[in-house]
């Protein structure tokens, strides 16, 4: 599904080019549960921004379901973001003056759905992430874990091909982290591809595949063996 | 995203910051209200003037064509052929030759050897108004064409010392002798201000005077006709082929042209004041721009989130543009109503009514939309050109 070959990226800082990613070659198939781990500054967020269609400016080729992403224009890129990927951020990124339901329904609005149809779909998804009857609540009245659930609901509301989570548990305590991880696992077991960036070993080991990245290069890419399987 | 949704979300974000929206709107409201007030009053003044000066009470418009003879001979400029031809014009509803509007003209006369300058009223039908002694002009007199006259007490006394002596005596008017059959009071008046002292049967007078004084043709047009153009056509035609085009000139005093001149001046003044008032619109527009820039930088996160979930650049652009236009448009509508209210209020103290036209509504609507678009486009562009990665970092 996702096929990165020789992907590289450099920032221009002052007069110098600063190479963040070198020759990344990754293939991720549908249904995988992948963790990308690495220390700060290793380029893992940059990589996941490219995978999640947030960043269009990179070298090399990214083919997603037979579509060469780097050749798309900004509008097609936006459409791909809308329909094929769900993005989950460390700090939730909810629009604070809109209700939970409106936040969740936002991708559907941009997909062109009618408000009536959106309402039912949003309520379904909210129930799926364990937040029934919270359509009209405001994000600020929810706990961090609940807000992250709202963000997850928003990311899966368009039934995207895969989810990209950038440190989804980074701002949560361990108990809440466990809940969120359980939610991801459940989503994965239902067939959703999940790609997650973390620097928490605990979290990473709960996934099925672990990609370690250091200084912009892939250091290791291996299956995670679970004690209970 | 559906267009309706763009409007809904624009409304919501304006409402979520009510105080700022209202304050920004005030500028637009004042600008539009000023422009509309001036336009409504200026238009009202112009229309009132046009109406008072041009059309009669029924809204019909009339003009007068005069025939001026070159050699001062008393000839009628308008033959029956001329009149028939003019009446065939279907824009002319009425075309009458008359001495003047009220059938009053001045004539020289002689009564018992004394010269007089009399103001003469030509009666078309039986007449005995202001009669003091004797009898009035009867239907019979008119039909048969009796040369009879009614004269005022003043003239009677001038000629024959007493009113009694004057009765059945003669009076010469323009060389024709009439028999005095009745005496008028001295304050005989036609209309409200046309004093006269002699009354003659019109037909008799005109026969004897070769219609010399009957050289004004009054034309009445159907409503909505360009009267000055039509009249000019008729005058041109008369001057080239009218019955007396060799002996004199057909003239037409173009009232409408003068009115147009005056109304052009009023229009010019109105537009000048409007231009001055528009400066406040410009300033208000800059206020809108300022607020939109603040909104864009305040809502950077929101823009990033919207883009991350799939909003295209155009959708972001339209969201902020619609916000700006909604702001100015609602300000414009409030300003329009306010301006009308002020104009109506002021016109209570003025001799004319403020004019409410569709044009001013469209103007208010259009101007406020344009202000929103012009001053909203740059902030909206800024919003849509933001780099997603930078925002979300």
């Amino acid at each position: 599904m996702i096929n990165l070959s020789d992907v590289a990226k450099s920032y221009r800082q002052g007069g110098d080019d600063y190479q963040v990613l070198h020759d990344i070659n990754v293939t991720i198939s549908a249904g995988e549960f992948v963790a990308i781990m690495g220390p700060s500054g290793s380029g893992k967020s940059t990589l996941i921004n490219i995978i999640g269609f947030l960043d269009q400016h990179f070298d090399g080729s990214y083919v997603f379901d037979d579509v060469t992403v780097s050749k798309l224009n900004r509008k097609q890129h936006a459409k791909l973001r809308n329909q094929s990927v769900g993005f989950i951020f460390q700090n939730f990124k909810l629009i604070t003056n809109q209700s939970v339901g409106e936040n969740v329904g936002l991708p559907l609005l941009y997909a062109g759905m009618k408000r009536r149809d959106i309402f039912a779909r949003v309520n379904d998804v909210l129930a799926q992430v364990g937040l029934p009857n919270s359509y009209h609540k405001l994000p600020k009245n929810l706990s961090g874990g609940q807000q992250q659930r709202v963000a997850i609901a928003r990311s899966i509301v368009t039934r995207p091909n895969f989810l990209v989570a950038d440190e989804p548990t980074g701002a949560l305590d361990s108990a809440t982290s466990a809940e969120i991880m359980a939610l991801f696992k459940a989503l994965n077991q239902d067939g959703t591809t999940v790609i997650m960036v973390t620097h928490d070993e605990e979290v990473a080991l709960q996934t099925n595949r672990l990609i370690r990245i250091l200084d912009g290069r892939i250091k290791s890419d291996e299956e995670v063996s679970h004690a209970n399987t | 995203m559906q267009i309706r949704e763009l409007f809904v979300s624009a409304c919501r974000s304006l409402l979520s910051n009510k105080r700022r929206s209202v304050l920004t709107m005030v500028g637009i409201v004042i600008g539009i209200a000023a422009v509309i007030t001036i336009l409504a009053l200026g238009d009202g003044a112009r229309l009132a003037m046009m109406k008072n000066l041009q059309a009669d009470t029924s809204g019909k418009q009339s003009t007068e064509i005069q025939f001026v003879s070159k050699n001062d001979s008393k000839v009628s400029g308008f033959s029956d052929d001329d009149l028939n031809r003019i009446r065939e014009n279907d824009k002319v509803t009425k075309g009458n030759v008359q001495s003047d509007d009220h059938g009053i003209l001045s004539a020289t006369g002689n009564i018992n050897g004394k010269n007089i300058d009399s103001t003469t009223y030509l009666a078309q039908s039986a007449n005995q108004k202001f009669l003091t002694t004797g009898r009035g002009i009867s239907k019979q007199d008119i039909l048969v064409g009796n040369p009879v006259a009614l004269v005022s007490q003043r003239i009677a006394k001038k000629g024959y010392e007493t009113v009694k002596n004057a009765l059945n005596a003669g009076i010469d008017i323009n060389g024709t002798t009439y028999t005095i059959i009745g005496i008028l009071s001295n304050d005989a008046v036609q209309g409200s201000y046309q004093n006269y002292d002699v009354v003659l049967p019109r037909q008799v007078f005109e026969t004897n005077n070769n219609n010399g004084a009957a050289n004004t043709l009054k034309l009445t047009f159907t409503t909505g006709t360009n009267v000055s153009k039509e009249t000019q056509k008729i005058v041109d035609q008369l001057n080239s082929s009218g019955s007396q085009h060799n002996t004199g000139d057909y003239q037409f005093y173009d009232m409408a042209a003068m009115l147009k001149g005056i109304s052009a001046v009023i229009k010019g003044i109105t537009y000048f004041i409007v231009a001055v008032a528009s400066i406040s619109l410009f300033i208000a527009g800059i206020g809108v721009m300022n607020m939109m820039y603040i909104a864009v930088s305040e809502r950077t996160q929101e823009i990033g989130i919207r883009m991350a979930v799939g909003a295209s650049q155009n959708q972001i652009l339209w969201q902020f543009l619609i916000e700006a236009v909604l702001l100015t448009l609602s300000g414009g509508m409030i300003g329009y109503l306010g301006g009308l209210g002020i104009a109506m209020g002021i016109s209570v103290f003025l001799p004319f009514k403020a004019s409410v036209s569709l044009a001013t509504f469209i103007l208010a609507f259009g101007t406020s939309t344009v202000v929103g678009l012009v001053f909203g486009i740059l902030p909206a562009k800024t919003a849509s050109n933001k780099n997603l990665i930078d925002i979300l970092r």
Side-chain angles (χ1 to χ4, degrees):
Chain A
M1 181 172 67
I2 292 167
N3 197 337
L4 297 173
S5 55
D6 295 332
V7 166
K9 168 138 185 120
S10 54
Y11 287 117
R12 213 170 170 73
Q13 255 179 358
D16 307 326
D17 274 349
Y18 175 68
Q19 190 90 16
V20 211
L21 292 177
H22 304 266
D23 308 328
I24 302 285
N25 291 289
V26 181
T27 304
I28 297 169
S29 323
E32 284 198 74
F33 191 6
V34 185
I36 299 174
M37 261 193 82
S40 301
S42 58
K44 56 188 189 308
S45 285
T46 309
L47 177 60
I48 211 162
N49 283 343
I50 292 172
I51 293 175
F53 311 124
L54 294 184
D55 192 351
Q56 213 180 353
H57 306 285
F58 55 88
D59 302 319
S61 106
Y62 175 10
V63 178
F64 169 78
D65 277 351
D66 300 332
V67 177
T68 309
V69 175
S70 40
K71 285 185 182 160
L72 299 178
N73 64 28
R74 290 191 76 158
K75 196 174 176 185
Q76 292 165 319
H77 211 242
K79 196 175 174 197
L80 204 58
R81 259 198 314 268
N82 181 242
Q83 295 180 346
S84 304
V85 67
F87 224 103
I88 297 143
F89 301 92
Q90 176 175 3
N91 49 4
F92 324 133
K93 299 267 189 233
L94 300 176
I95 298 175
T96 46
N97 56 9
Q98 291 194 352
S99 76
V100 165
E102 284 168 324
N103 267 289
V104 175
L106 200 58
L108 294 179
L109 274 186
Y110 285 111
M113 270 176 78
K114 285 184 184 151
R115 217 163 254 262
R116 263 200 314 280
D117 307 332
I118 290 173
F119 186 75
R121 171 77 185 136
V122 166
N123 277 329
D124 285 353
V125 175
L126 281 174
Q128 198 184 338
V129 298
L131 291 170
N133 305 323
S134 46
Y135 189 100
H136 296 289
K137 289 179 187 165
L138 279 175
K140 65 180 175 196
N141 297 330
L142 300 181
S143 70
Q146 286 171 320
Q147 290 191 39
Q148 195 60 299
R149 284 169 190 269
V150 173
I152 293 169
R154 183 180 62 192
S155 71
I156 61 174
V157 78
T158 55
R159 300 191 177 90
N161 302 52
F162 64 103
L163 299 183
V164 171
D166 191 352
E167 308 244 14
T169 58
L172 303 175
D173 60 55
S174 56
T176 323
S177 292
E179 285 173 22
I180 295 298
M181 282 310 294
L183 184 55
F184 276 121
K185 268 192 237 172
L187 285 170
N188 180 245
Q189 267 151 25
D190 290 345
T192 314
T193 314
V194 179
I195 303 163
M196 165 185 304
V197 160
T198 181
H199 53 235
D200 183 343
E201 191 90 30
E202 286 275 310
V203 168
L205 287 175
Q206 295 180 50
T207 64
N208 299 331
R209 178 178 169 191
L210 178 57
I211 299 172
R212 288 179 193 272
I213 190 166
L214 186 66
D215 296 336
R217 292 174 205 277
I218 292 180
K219 220 176 90 187
S220 68
D221 182 353
E222 56 203 6
E223 297 261 321
V224 177
S225 52
H226 296 290
N228 56 349
T229 50
Chain B
M1 189 188 236
Q2 297 190 328
I3 293 165
R4 202 176 70 94
E5 291 305 333
L6 283 173
F7 279 93
V8 170
S9 61
C11 281
R12 296 176 62 118
S13 44
L14 285 178
L15 287 178
S16 72
N17 221 324
K18 278 194 205 85
R19 194 181 307 167
R20 198 164 66 190
S21 302
V22 167
L23 284 175
T24 315
M25 220 149 67
V26 166
I28 302 286
V29 171
I30 291 173
I32 295 280
V35 169
I36 294 300
T37 306
I38 294 160
L39 276 183
L41 288 178
D43 235 33
R46 196 172 55 81
L47 290 179
M49 193 194 64
M50 296 288 274
K51 205 172 161 190
N52 286 344
L53 293 185
Q54 197 174 29
D56 64 16
T57 44
S58 64
K60 283 184 185 147
Q61 303 170 66
S62 54
T63 54
E64 283 176 9
I65 299 174
Q66 267 166 338
F67 173 73
V68 180
S69 162
K70 275 176 196 156
N71 51 16
D72 213 28
S73 68
K74 309 241 174 188
V75 287
S76 170
F78 302 98
S79 69
D80 284 348
D81 283 349
D82 290 333
L83 291 180
N84 285 336
R85 202 165 43 224
I86 290 166
R87 284 174 189 144
E88 270 168 22
N89 186 331
D90 50 358
K91 281 179 181 149
V92 177
T93 53
K94 231 159 84 182
N96 282 331
V97 179
Q98 47 188 224
S99 306
D100 64 33
D101 277 356
H102 301 280
I104 300 276
L105 58 90
S106 52
T108 52
N110 182 296
I111 184 162
N112 202 14
K114 292 187 176 98
N115 286 329
I116 49 164
D117 280 320
S118 68
T119 306
T120 306
Y121 170 50
L122 300 177
Q124 273 172 308
S125 52
N127 185 304
Q128 48 188 340
K129 286 179 207 154
F130 304 103
L131 195 68
T132 54
T133 323
R135 67 176 179 90
I137 295 173
S138 67
K139 240 185 197 169
Q140 183 73 13
D141 292 326
I142 301 275
L143 274 175
V144 178
N146 284 335
V148 292
L150 309 179
V151 300
S152 67
Q153 286 169 333
R154 190 171 56 78
I155 288 186
K157 279 176 183 161
K158 190 172 181 185
Y160 299 100
E161 302 299 328
T162 64
V163 167
K164 215 176 175 184
N165 289 344
L167 274 180
N168 297 319
I171 180 171
D172 277 10
I173 302 283
N174 282 5
T176 309
T177 306
Y178 299 85
T179 309
I180 298 170
I181 54 169
I183 307 298
L184 301 167
S185 67
N186 278 334
D187 53 1
V189 70
Q190 165 73 2
S192 50
Y193 55 92
Q194 298 268 21
N195 283 301
Y196 58 88
D197 33 32
V198 176
V199 179
L200 303 173
R202 177 166 219 145
Q203 218 189 346
V204 179
F205 179 86
E206 285 178 352
T207 316
N208 291 318
N209 287 282
N210 284 333
N211 288 351
N215 275 330
T216 301
L217 174 64
K218 184 164 184 176
L219 299 174
T220 310
F221 291 89
T222 50
T223 33
T225 311
N226 183 342
V227 291
S228 60
K229 209 170 136 196
E230 283 302 318
T231 311
Q232 191 60 52
K233 261 198 229 161
I234 292 168
V235 167
D236 289 347
Q237 194 265 334
L238 282 171
N239 273 329
S240 62
S241 59
S243 56
Q244 298 292 336
H245 70 276
N246 288 325
T247 58
D249 269 341
Y250 293 92
Q251 296 171 344
F252 152 55
Y253 182 58
D254 193 350
M255 190 79 149
M258 187 190 74
L259 287 179
K260 262 186 197 150
I262 297 176
S263 90
V265 170
I266 295 185
K267 252 190 189 166
I269 295 172
T270 309
Y271 289 155
F272 173 73
I273 304 175
V274 165
V276 173
S278 308
I279 294 174
S280 71
L281 269 181
F282 184 76
I283 296 169
I286 292 175
V288 171
M289 200 169 186
N290 196 7
M291 174 192 150
M292 290 312 294
Y293 268 124
I294 294 172
V296 167
S297 71
E298 246 178 19
R299 285 156 61 193
T300 302
Q301 275 296 314
E302 182 194 324
I303 295 167
I305 293 166
R306 285 176 183 275
M307 283 181 160
V309 300
S312 70
Q313 279 186 297
N314 276 342
Q315 283 166 330
I316 299 290
L317 181 98
W318 277 110
Q319 185 192 339
F320 282 94
L321 204 51
I322 286 175
E323 241 181 86
V325 170
L326 274 185
L327 195 71
T328 54
L329 200 56
S330 42
M333 290 303 102
I334 296 171
Y336 177 74
L337 295 180
L340 281 191
I342 295 170
M344 301 280 186
I346 292 177
S347 69
V348 168
F349 305 102
L350 293 176
F352 55 84
K353 265 190 182 165
S355 131
V356 185
S357 64
L358 185 66
T360 52
F361 177 77
I362 293 172
L363 183 86
F365 193 86
T367 313
S368 45
T369 310
V370 167
V371 167
L373 286 175
V374 167
F375 293 97
I377 189 83
L378 283 178
K381 269 234 148 81
T382 310
S384 69
N385 282 334
K386 280 189 185 286
N387 186 316
L388 182 51
I389 302 294
D390 290 343
I391 300 174
L392 292 176
R393 187 171 288 162

